C-alpha cells in the first residue's frame, strides 16, 4: 500500500482546488445515511474523508462526525461545528469511541484481501456500536472491466480550478479482479502514478466479510448494473 499516500496527496494537489467544494454527491451521501440509518442525530465515523466535503454536510445535518484522512487532502477541509478531523491512518488510529454509522465513501479496496479484512474487523470490533450500520462503497468489477484499455486526456480548466493537463489510462486484471487507474501530467510521462483497487462482486464481498464480524445486509442492484461503485450496507454479523 506504499502508493496510497503519494497518489492521494499528489492528485489532491491537482484536483483539490476544483473539487474541495460541497456538491450534489455529498448531499446524496447524506441522504443515503438517512435512508439506511434514520434522521439521527447520529455519531458518524467517516473513513478516508479526503477533502472533507461529505463530512461537512453530515455535520451540517446535525450529526456528530469524526473524519479520518491519511493525507494532506485535509488542508482543504472547512472547519465545522460537530466535526472532528483526524489526520491519521485508519489502520493504526486509536479513536476510543463508538459510532452509530461508519462510512467509507469511494476508496475501499486498497491493498490485499487481508488488508480489507483487517479494516472490516476494526469497524466491527472497535468502532461500530451493537446494531450499528456500516456504509461502504465497493468498486464494481462489472463496470471497471468495461473500462479496460480506456485512455482520457484531461485539459486544464483554470476557471474551474483544474490547473493541470493530465492523461489517464485504466486497465482491469480479470484474474485478480483489480482495476489500475494511472495518471500523469502530459509533459511528465515518467511521473505516472497509479491507484490499484480490488473490486468485489457482492458474492465476493460476502466471502470477504466472513470472520470479520460484519454481514452484507443490502445493496442497490441498479447501482451494480451501471455505476463504478455500489453502496454495501453492512451490519454486525451477530445482533
Ligand atoms: C478515492 S479517495 C476518496 C475521498 C473521499 N471519500 C471522497 O469520496 O471524495 C480515498 C481517500 O481515502 C484516503 N485513505 C486511503 N487509505 C487511507 C488510510 N489507510 N487511512 C486514512 N485515509 C486513507 C485517501 O488518502 C483518499 O483521500
Amino acid at each position: 500500500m506504499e502508493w496510497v499516500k503519494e497518489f492521494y496527496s499528489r492528485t489532491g494537489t491537482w484536483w483539490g482546488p476544483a473539487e474541495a467544494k460541497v456538491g450534489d454527491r455529498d448531499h446524496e451521501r447524506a441522504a443515503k445515511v438517512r435512508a439506511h440509518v434514520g434522521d439521527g442525530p447520529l455519531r458518524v465515523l467517516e473513513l478516508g474523508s479526503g477533502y472533507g466535503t461529505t463530512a461537512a454536510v453530515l455535520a451540517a445535518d446535525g450529526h456528530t462526525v469524526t473524519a479520518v484522512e491519511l493525507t494532506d487532502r485535509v488542508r482543504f477541509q472547512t472547519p465545522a461545528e460537530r466535526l472532528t478531523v483526524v489526520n491519521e491512518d485508519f489502520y493504526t488510529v486509536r479513536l476510543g469511541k463508538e459510532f452509530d454509522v461508519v462510512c467509507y465513501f469511494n476508496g475501499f479496496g486498497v491493498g490485499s484481501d487481508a488488508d480489507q479484512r483487517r479494516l472490516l474487523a476494526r469497524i466491527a470490533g472497535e468502532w461500530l456500536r451493537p446494531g450499528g450500520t456500516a456504509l461502504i462503497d465497493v468498486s464494481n468489477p462489472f463496470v471497471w472491466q468495461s473500462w479496460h484499455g480506456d485512455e482520457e486526456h484531461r485539459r486544464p480548466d483554470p476557471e474551474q480550478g483544474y490547473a493541470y493537463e493530465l492523461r489517464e489510462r485504466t486497465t482491469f486484471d480479470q484474474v485478480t479482479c483489480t482495476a489500475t487507474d494511472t495518471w500523469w501530467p502530459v509533459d511528465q510521462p515518467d511521473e505516472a502514478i497509479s491507484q490499484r483497487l480490488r473490486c468485489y462482486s457482492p458474492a465476493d464481498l460476502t466471502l470477504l466479510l466472513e470472520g470479520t464480524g460484519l454481514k452484507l445486509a443490502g445493496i442497490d442492484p441498479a447501482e451494480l448494473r451501471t455505476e463504478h461503485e455500489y453502496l454495501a450496507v453492512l451490519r454486525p454479523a451477530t445482533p
Side-chain angles (χ1 to χ4, degrees):
M1 288 189 282
E2 317 75 50
W3 58 267
V4 173
K5 206 164 185 175
E6 196 209 337
F7 183 89
Y8 293 111
S9 172
R10 184 118 185 261
T11 53
T13 303
W14 293 340
W15 303 323
E19 296 183 357
K21 296 176 191 126
V22 168
D24 291 347
R25 191 175 71 153
D26 302 296
H27 291 289
E28 283 159 17
R29 288 170 173 175
K32 285 179 181 176
V33 171
R34 267 198 303 283
H36 290 290
V37 192
D39 290 342
L42 303 162
R43 295 163 299 171
V44 180
L45 170 61
E46 191 192 357
L47 301 172
S49 51
Y51 314 123
T53 51
T54 303
V57 168
L58 289 167
D61 274 5
H63 308 304
T64 300
V65 181
T66 301
V68 179
E69 168 55 42
L70 178 70
T71 70
D72 59 0
R73 284 188 177 204
V74 293
R75 71 187 187 279
F76 295 100
Q77 180 84 57
T78 309
E81 238 184 290
R82 294 181 296 277
L83 170 61
T84 307
V85 180
V86 182
N87 191 193
E88 285 193 49
D89 186 331
F90 54 52
Y91 282 106
T92 52
V93 68
R94 296 277 153 209
L95 296 171
K97 285 195 241 179
E98 276 195 339
F99 299 88
D100 303 303
V101 192
V102 178
C103 308
Y104 191 179
F105 296 115
N106 182 243
F108 183 76
V110 164
S112 65
D113 288 351
D115 293 321
Q116 327 304 346
R117 284 210 178 95
R118 217 151 40 93
L119 181 61
L120 293 162
R122 287 204 83 187
I123 294 173
E126 291 180 54
W127 298 325
L128 206 58
R129 72 153 166 84
T133 305
L135 299 174
I136 298 190
D137 282 330
V138 178
S139 294
N140 180 359
F142 307 113
V143 168
W144 278 100
Q145 171 173 254
S146 74
W147 291 347
H148 177 75
D150 284 1
E151 295 216 3
E152 299 273 341
H153 183 182
R154 306 286 170 99
R155 293 193 166 73
D157 184 353
E159 262 179 38
Q160 295 301 319
Y162 292 103
Y164 295 83
E165 184 172 3
L166 301 167
R167 285 193 184 273
E168 179 190 20
R169 185 188 317 115
T170 308
T171 58
F172 183 82
D173 183 303
Q174 292 171 325
V175 175
T176 60
C177 212
T178 301
T180 301
D181 178 36
T182 301
W183 292 84
W184 65 96
V186 286
D187 54 348
Q188 294 170 295
D190 297 341
E191 299 274 307
I193 50 173
S194 301
Q195 62 173 336
R196 278 176 289 284
L197 297 169
R198 170 72 156 97
C199 305
Y200 297 92
S201 69
D204 265 356
L205 181 65
T206 302
L207 291 174
L208 184 79
L209 288 166
E210 274 178 16
T212 64
L214 294 170
K215 66 173 186 217
L216 183 58
I219 61 155
D220 176 352
E223 279 186 337
L224 193 63
R225 274 191 293 277
T226 57
E227 305 299 321
H228 70 94
E229 58 192 1
Y230 63 92
L231 187 72
V233 182
L234 308 180
R235 299 235 155 80
T238 45

